[in-house]
């Protein structure tokens, strides 16, 4: 299968599976799993935080962050396009009694500080208490600049808010900016990382923060049914992902750029390759193309595409340059070009 739907489809490599097989494990709810303990300590130090907690998913890691920063009746500022507003089932409101205050994202994925300032509520019983700003990097494949992150830090300091990063794909941002991950993480009170996307682990995310925040998150994780037992098997995959699969993300970015350039030459596809910053390509399809038919025909040849117009194509460690060429050849045949 050549699967462009998402980088969540990545499969563990033989070397990653080997690391999982040999991981020493114990009951992590008792704090007894040495592989989980190692991952959490290592990850905290590596990203410049006091503590870390291994979570079942990015959604859970974000929810734990929101529930640990905010109390019932608090609110967090975020983007209309933020994953932890739009794509997580309203979990903060449903399970945390926390009100989201979304702001329209700018074209580059950032949030305007003028619009954020206007959304902060006065201290008054009429209003929810504005507690946290949550931003996302990368957002829809776009990278927020270090200068912007620094401004976000100054903004939250000025307004006495906390600052969270949904860093599901923060390593794609670091690779695109060609900086060490700490150049990004330094600005945040908390940060999540998805291990199961481009980094290639089968399951798992991390939440990073100070000791107090992570202790709260550990309690909420148990409440939410996320206390896992001999989970070192998965933590071993996560550690492997963070130590072995980071630098190769540059390949995914180069492949995405190549894919965009080649697609832009195909009649019926509108793509701007210069907008491709990481591993995502957004292509507008001519309405004359029957997208469902195209999807079905490609599927017969083991190529999977998402629906939607623009359609999102994601590169990852399961897609080589040769796979992209195969896709382009099949696509041209299918469109009879
Ligand atoms: C995928 C993703 C998440 C959630 O991760 P899951 O593991 O799918 O729950 C959170 N934030 C962003 C930006 C994501 O892309």
């Amino acid at each position: 299968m050549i699967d462009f739907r998402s980088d969540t489809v990545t499969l563990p490599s033989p070397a990653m599976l080997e690391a999982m097989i040999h991981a020493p494990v114990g009951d992590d709810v008792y704090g007894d799993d040495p592989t989980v303990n190692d991952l959490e300590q290592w990850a905290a130090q590596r990203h410049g935080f006091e503590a870390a907690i291994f979570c079942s998913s990015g959604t859970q890691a974000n929810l734990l962050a929101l529930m640990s920063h905010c109390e019932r009746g608090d609110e967090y500022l975020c983007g209309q396009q933020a994953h932890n507003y739009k794509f997580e089932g309203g979990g903060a409101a449903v399970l945390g009694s926390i009100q989201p205050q979304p702001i329209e994202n700018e074209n580059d994925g950032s949030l305007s500080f003028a619009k954020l300032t206007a959304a902060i509520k006065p201290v008054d019983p009429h209003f929810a208490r504005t507690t946290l700003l949550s931003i996302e990097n990368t957002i829809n494949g776009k990278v927020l600049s270090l200068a912007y992150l620094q401004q976000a830090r100054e903004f939250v300091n000025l307004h006495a808010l906390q600052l969270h990063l949904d860093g599901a794909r923060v390593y794609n941002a670091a690779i695109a900016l060609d900086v060490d991950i700490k150049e990004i993480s330094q600005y945040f009170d908390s940060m999540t990382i998805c291990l199961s996307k481009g980094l290639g682990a089968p399951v798992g995310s991390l939440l990073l923060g100070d000791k107090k925040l992570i202790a709260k998150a550990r309690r909420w994780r148990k409440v939410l049914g996320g206390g896992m037992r001999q989970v070192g098997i998965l933590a071993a995959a996560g550690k492997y992902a963070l130590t072995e699969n980071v630098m190769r993300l540059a390949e995914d970015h180069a492949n995405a750029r190549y894919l965009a350039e080649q697609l832009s030459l195909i009649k019926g596809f509108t793509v701007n390759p210069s907008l491709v910053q990481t591993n995502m390509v957004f292509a507008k399809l001519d309405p004359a193309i029957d997208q469902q038919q195209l999807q079905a025909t490609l599927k017969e040849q083991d190529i999977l595409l998402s629906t939607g117009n623009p359609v999102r194509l994601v590169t990852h460690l399961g897609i080589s340059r040769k796979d992209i060429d195969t896709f382009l050849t099949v696509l041209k045949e299918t469109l009879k070009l």
Side-chain angles (χ1 to χ4, degrees), residues 62-191:
N62 271 327
L63 180 59
L64 293 181
L66 295 169
M67 289 178 72
S68 302
H69 281 296
C70 303
E71 303 294 331
R72 181 181 191 204
D74 288 357
E75 73 171 7
Y76 66 107
L77 307 170
C78 59
Q80 284 283 358
Q81 301 309 320
H83 200 281
N84 62 21
Y85 168 61
K86 196 174 175 184
F87 300 101
E88 296 182 8
V94 174
L95 298 158
S97 300
I98 302 159
Q99 166 172 290
Q101 170 58 71
I103 308 292
E104 207 59 61
N105 290 84
E106 305 301 311
N107 282 338
D108 64 0
S110 70
L111 300 174
S112 138
F113 294 113
K115 289 179 193 166
L116 286 170
T117 304
I120 295 176
K121 313 289 184 288
V123 178
D124 175 312
H126 287 88
F127 302 111
R129 292 171 300 246
T130 313
T131 304
L132 178 73
L133 170 60
S134 176
I135 60 181
E136 190 173 310
N137 196 17
T138 63
I139 176 158
N140 289 326
K142 292 175 191 156
V143 180
L144 301 175
S145 71
L146 294 180
Y148 178 78
L149 301 185
Q150 182 172 354
Q151 285 168 16
R153 183 73 245 173
E154 286 161 10
F155 173 84
V156 297
N157 287 351
L158 184 66
H159 297 283
L161 307 175
Q162 300 283 299
L163 185 61
H164 173 68
L165 182 67
D166 179 347
R169 296 190 180 86
V170 68
Y171 272 99
N172 294 88
I175 290 292
L177 292 168
D178 194 21
V179 298
D180 184 75
I181 194 70
K182 275 187 182 157
E183 296 286 315
I184 296 176
S185 59
Q186 63 174 327
Y187 297 110
F188 295 91
D189 298 299
S190 61
M191 177 170 102

Side-chain angles (χ1 to χ4, degrees), residues 7-8 56-60 62 82-84 87-88 136-140 166-169 192 194 196-197 204-205 280 312:
D7 46 9
T8 55
S56 60
S57 68
T59 299
Q60 187 182 66
N62 271 327
H83 200 281
N84 62 21
F87 300 101
E88 296 182 8
E136 190 173 310
N137 196 17
T138 63
I139 176 158
N140 289 326
D166 179 347
R169 296 190 180 86
T192 57
C194 273
S196 64
K197 290 186 171 161
S205 280
M280 288 185 193
R312 185 187 79 163

